[in-house]
Amino acid sequence: MTILAQITDLHIREPNKLAYGRLDTAPYLRTCVESLLRLRQKPDAVVLTGDLTDFGRPAEYAHLRQLLAPLDMPLYLLPGNHDDRANLRAAFPEHSYMESGEFIQYAVDIGPLRLIALDTMIPGQSGGQLCASRLQWLREMLAASDGRPVIIAMHHPPFRTLIGHMDKIGLQAGTEELREIVSQYSNIERIICGHLHRVIDVRFGGTIASTAPAPAHQVTLDLDVNAESSWMLEPPGFRVHAWDEVNTRLVSHLAPSGQFEGPYPFHENGALID
């Protein structure tokens, strides 16, 4: 079994700095990292789908690097609208997959899975896009996938979430082109995204597109088209995507971040506990 963990929307600031003037996101990421390391089956890799920092500053990336240091499996980083490509590359120079160029996007193999990471950010803007060159690169990567099961990772989800204020800063261009490309490849198992700080699953282009919770704060669940922009300290978490070799399909789980009682047995010496 091959396992890919997904963490997203970390929003790390400099040490002792608060996001939105009231939230220290660093302890939440520490808890997330500890939770991930406690999994009974260790992930083969972790993908981080954007908004790694809050302002994309060098000091924030230095802090992020320290917080991620306990993870001893391959890490694959992707920028979100809160990130800075140049500062991200400078902070993680050994991550050669983030080669120089306008965009940070790459294709890597994780066991039988191929992870294709798409860069959707527009510098200085909250919304994202997939321009013609990024879409052409995706076509080339999919054509070279040789039928392997593919996971596409990106920050901005390519679908309406019905949370009005987030949809206004969602993927602004390239959605229909992406849908057309994805629909041509039955080996695309998932499109995994960030940006929403919530778990959302949508059918898209013949596959499943999803978002993941954040390690700290979640976007408020308000499906009013005029919903105010707000966040809540709902339970944090991350996602675990596991390749089922028997049935040849991807199974996605939601994992809570934190330490909880258990596990306790349902049975004792083969009998139900009264």
Side-chain angles (χ1 to χ4, degrees), residues 246-267:
V246 176
N247 295 296
T248 60
R249 60 189 175 191
L250 197 70
V251 180
S252 297
H253 296 263
L254 170 63
S257 181
Q259 192 160 8
F260 308 93
E261 285 193 48
Y264 299 120
F266 287 109
H267 301 80

Side-chain angles (χ1 to χ4, degrees), residues 4 46-50 75-79 97-98 103-110 114-120 130 134-135 137-138 141-142 150-155 178 190-192:
L4 174 67
V46 179
V47 61
L48 296 94
T49 48
L75 304 181
Y76 295 105
L77 309 175
L78 193 59
Y97 58 87
M98 294 195 294
F103 308 120
I104 295 179
Q105 47 192 30
Y106 47 86
V108 294
D109 292 330
I110 304 166
R114 175 155 294 177
L115 173 68
I116 299 178
L118 271 175
D119 185 334
T120 61
L130 288 172
R134 282 179 267 199
L135 289 166
W137 178 87
L138 175 62
M141 294 301 103
L142 288 170
V150 167
I151 299 174
I152 297 175
M154 51 198 289
H155 182 66
L178 178 65
R190 292 286 188 283
I191 302 174
I192 60 174

Side-chain angles (χ1 to χ4, degrees), residues 35-235:
S35 300
L36 196 152
L37 291 173
R38 280 197 301 268
L39 290 174
R40 293 206 170 186
Q41 286 74 39
K42 180 179 177 180
D44 296 278
V46 179
V47 61
L48 296 94
T49 48
D51 283 359
L52 311 178
T53 64
D54 213 24
F55 290 97
R57 297 166 179 162
E60 293 178 335
Y61 287 114
H63 193 196
L64 172 66
R65 187 180 178 97
Q66 294 173 355
L67 294 166
L68 295 178
L71 295 175
D72 57 355
M73 67 285 291
L75 304 181
Y76 295 105
L77 309 175
L78 193 59
N81 49 287
H82 281 258
D83 289 302
D84 180 280
R85 294 186 186 111
N87 290 338
L88 173 56
R89 285 177 168 130
F92 295 88
E94 73 280 12
H95 288 233
S96 58
Y97 58 87
M98 294 195 294
E99 61 187 17
S100 60
E102 183 178 1
F103 308 120
I104 295 179
Q105 47 192 30
Y106 47 86
V108 294
D109 292 330
I110 304 166
L113 301 172
R114 175 155 294 177
L115 173 68
I116 299 178
L118 271 175
D119 185 334
T120 61
M121 77 172 289
I122 308 171
Q125 297 187 34
S126 296
Q129 71 171 356
L130 288 172
C131 59
S133 62
R134 282 179 267 199
L135 289 166
Q136 180 57 33
W137 178 87
L138 175 62
R139 292 186 184 95
E140 294 168 2
M141 294 301 103
L142 288 170
S145 65
D146 298 323
R148 297 182 61 151
V150 167
I151 299 174
I152 297 175
M154 51 198 289
H155 182 66
H156 297 84
F159 56 84
R160 288 182 66 224
T161 68
L162 307 183
I163 299 176
H165 67 95
M166 293 302 294
D167 287 337
K168 290 174 183 176
I169 59 169
L171 196 66
Q172 305 298 305
T175 298
E176 292 309 313
E177 293 87 344
L178 178 65
R179 190 194 312 273
E180 189 273 333
I181 293 169
V182 168
S183 67
Q184 299 176 34
Y185 291 89
S186 61
N187 58 315
I188 299 176
E189 288 285 328
R190 292 286 188 283
I191 302 174
I192 60 174
C193 312
H195 196 50
L196 262 293
H197 297 234
R198 300 202 68 84
V199 176
I200 306 170
D201 301 287
V202 175
R203 186 171 56 187
F204 181 88
T207 190
I208 299 170
S210 66
T211 61
H217 54 300
Q218 315 308 318
V219 169
T220 304
L221 179 57
D222 186 343
L223 302 185
D224 187 330
V225 67
N226 297 313
E228 293 184 4
S229 175
S230 65
W231 55 272
M232 297 181 66
L233 284 177
E234 292 179 351

